[in-house]
Amino acid sequence: MPRDAFSHVDTWVFDLDNTLYPPEARLFDLIEVRMTNWVMQELKVDQPEADRLRRKYWHEHGTTLAGLMREHDIDPAPYLVDVHDISMDSLTPDPDLAAEIRSLPGRRIVYTNGCAPYAERVLAARGLSGLFDAVYGVEHADFLPKPDRAAFDKVFATDGLNPASAAMFEDDARNLSAPFEMGMRTVHVAPARQHAAHIDYHTDDLRGFLGRVKA
């Protein structure tokens, strides 16, 4: 991987879940349980139907929350508080990853489909607090989720970043399509490689990858 492929990058954008911590932590499994319970209670459906709707809305709208807002007009604020009220016990600090992120040239930001307070809790549990210039959640995109292009436009405009000099690190390959179209360097962070035109690079080792891209 040529270092000069990232020599122009002055803004490093990181997704949160399964990107800044390993999928083995299975944090999102806990969130999905709370999502299902929330849908059951709010929509008065049984667990199988709540699970079906959760998956359906994620597939069709980008997130379960987006589907609930568009199809049931739910208030996103209490939903975000409830579903992200999970234990961080499965996360451990990663000082080596922290060192690699700290040494990246330019601005470093987190952009997640979760909420920013949840992101801050995850960063603290991973020993990554204080390394990022900004942390953006779905609330900063007016609750529009990735992969919606308008969500990226909103967050990036708020941040003032120039996509042509930025890189995006993300575990969900579909969330790299809009950044690629905007001119960002895209990196898929996942155990399995996916081949797609909008994915520039793949890695299953974020820490090692970051160590190789710095000039």
Side-chain angles (χ1 to χ4, degrees):
M1 181 191 68
R3 289 188 178 185
D4 59 9
F6 290 83
S7 62
H8 67 294
V9 173
D10 61 18
T11 306
W12 308 80
V13 185
F14 295 89
D15 175 51
L16 182 77
D17 289 307
N18 296 328
T19 300
L20 290 177
Y21 64 80
E24 293 77 19
R26 305 193 71 84
L27 216 60
F28 209 73
D29 289 359
L30 303 178
I31 295 175
E32 286 182 346
V33 169
R34 297 193 68 87
M35 286 180 178
T36 298
N37 289 339
W38 198 95
V39 172
M40 288 173 62
Q41 295 171 12
E42 293 298 315
L43 301 188
K44 311 302 181 187
V45 296
D46 60 17
Q47 183 174 351
E49 177 62 5
D51 262 332
R52 186 189 73 81
L53 290 173
R54 176 179 58 78
R55 292 191 297 268
K56 176 178 183 289
Y57 293 158
W58 178 86
H59 179 74
E60 295 180 354
H61 299 279
T63 62
T64 301
L65 172 60
L68 288 168
M69 291 179 66
R70 292 167 183 168
E71 301 200 19
H72 302 279
D73 198 29
I74 68 104
D75 181 355
Y79 170 91
L80 288 169
V81 171
D82 187 273
V83 302
H84 291 116
D85 184 18
I86 61 170
S87 169
M88 299 288 156
D89 289 348
S90 63
L91 298 181
T92 56
D94 189 337
D96 293 330
L97 176 60
E100 294 294 352
I101 293 174
R102 184 180 296 109
S103 65
L104 290 171
R107 284 174 51 76
R108 305 176 294 270
I109 71 175
V110 172
Y111 174 28
T112 174
N113 270 343
C115 59
Y118 161 73
E120 296 284 7
R121 291 179 60 216
V122 171
L123 295 176
R126 289 288 281 158
L128 305 178
S129 294
L131 298 182
F132 297 95
D133 297 282
V135 176
Y136 298 106
V138 68
E139 65 269 37
H140 296 102
D142 295 331
F143 301 102
L144 291 172
K146 298 181 284 184
D148 193 319
R149 170 65 182 266
F152 288 96
D153 288 338
K154 175 67 175 178
V155 169
F156 292 170
T158 298
D159 189 78
L161 72 80
N162 176 11
S165 60
M168 180 85 194
F169 297 81
E170 167 75 59
D171 74 297
D172 190 341
R174 64 181 180 163
N175 292 345
L176 291 172
S177 181
F180 180 83
E181 292 174 358
M182 299 168 80
M184 298 179 72
R185 186 73 73 220
T186 58
V187 183
H188 185 215
V189 183
R193 182 185 300 272
Q194 293 187 35
H195 296 281
H198 64 272
I199 298 174
D200 290 320
Y201 295 96
H202 166 267
T203 184
D204 60 1
D205 175 17
L206 178 61
R207 180 179 59 202
F209 188 92
L210 293 178
R212 295 193 298 274
V213 303
K214 289 173 294 186

